[in-house]
Amino acid sequence: MMRAALVLLASATLSACGLQPMYAGGSNASAAQGLAAVAVPAIPGRDGWLVRNALQDRLGIAGEASPAYRLDVRLDDALEALGVLNDDTISRERRILRARYQLVDVATGEILLDATAGFDAGIDVVSSEYATIAAEQRALENMAEEVADRIATRIALTLRERSRAAPAGG
């Protein structure tokens, strides 16, 4: 009896908090349809290729002939020494990936979102140069996925707010 009352109380509390599922309605949801209407032009470099592919996976690009939005992305990828030993050898590196992005309404040219996203990773520098390079590359792959997640989430929130603000008839 006490457990049932606790479940009912938790349900009432959650429904009163104002949280709503972003993708309620599946692929027919306004958020999903808005994300599918975003074109991501090529981004220079290997890091750009990784981020663009991750974005296309998250946005669910449907290959629309005339997308409603364009996502312009500029990346800054840096690798810096973090730990230096007494003999001036590097023992740890920090890889940083930052993205400056703009979501543009293709029809009007209006910038709907102008933001940044970033992620960084620590890398141990070991005696094997191959292992260190492999760790740097893997870190870049993981960071590209994380940055794409952050960008896609921010775009979904922006498009959801825009659809809420739009008049019911248009």
Side-chain angles (χ1 to χ4, degrees):
M1 181 78 158
M2 182 66 159
R3 188 174 282 189
L6 195 56
V7 168
L8 285 175
L9 179 63
S11 313
T13 304
L14 283 176
S15 65
C17 74
L19 292 177
Q20 299 174 355
M22 179 149 336
Y23 299 105
S27 62
N28 294 328
S30 63
Q33 290 176 347
L35 289 176
V38 177
V40 184
I43 307 168
R46 182 173 192 276
D47 53 354
W49 180 80
L50 290 167
V51 169
R52 181 174 188 258
N53 284 345
L55 280 168
Q56 288 180 321
D57 288 345
R58 279 142 188 84
L59 298 176
I61 306 281
E64 292 186 20
S66 57
Y69 309 102
R70 183 184 73 244
L71 180 64
D72 296 326
V73 181
R74 288 188 311 275
L75 295 176
D76 181 27
D77 180 18
L79 189 62
E80 58 186 42
L82 193 57
V84 180
L85 300 175
N86 289 339
D87 62 354
D88 288 333
T89 59
I90 299 169
S91 63
R92 190 144 175 86
E93 295 174 330
R94 179 173 151 193
R95 187 154 202 171
I96 306 162
L97 182 64
R98 300 283 180 256
R100 168 92 190 270
Y101 58 97
Q102 293 181 328
L103 182 65
V104 180
D105 184 321
V106 174
T108 64
E110 177 187 3
I111 296 174
L112 305 175
L113 175 63
D114 186 354
T116 59
F119 202 73
D120 62 292
I123 302 163
D124 288 327
V125 177
V126 294
S127 59
S128 167
E129 189 175 333
Y130 174 77
T132 301
I133 291 170
E136 291 169 357
Q137 293 304 313
R138 185 64 187 157
L140 178 61
E141 292 166 8
N142 292 339
M143 290 187 307
E145 296 284 330
E146 184 65 33
V147 167
D149 282 341
R150 292 177 183 192
I151 292 172
T153 300
R154 187 75 188 272
I155 290 171
L157 290 171
T158 299
L159 293 178
R160 183 176 72 173
E161 289 302 314
R162 188 167 197 243
S163 70
R164 284 182 180 172

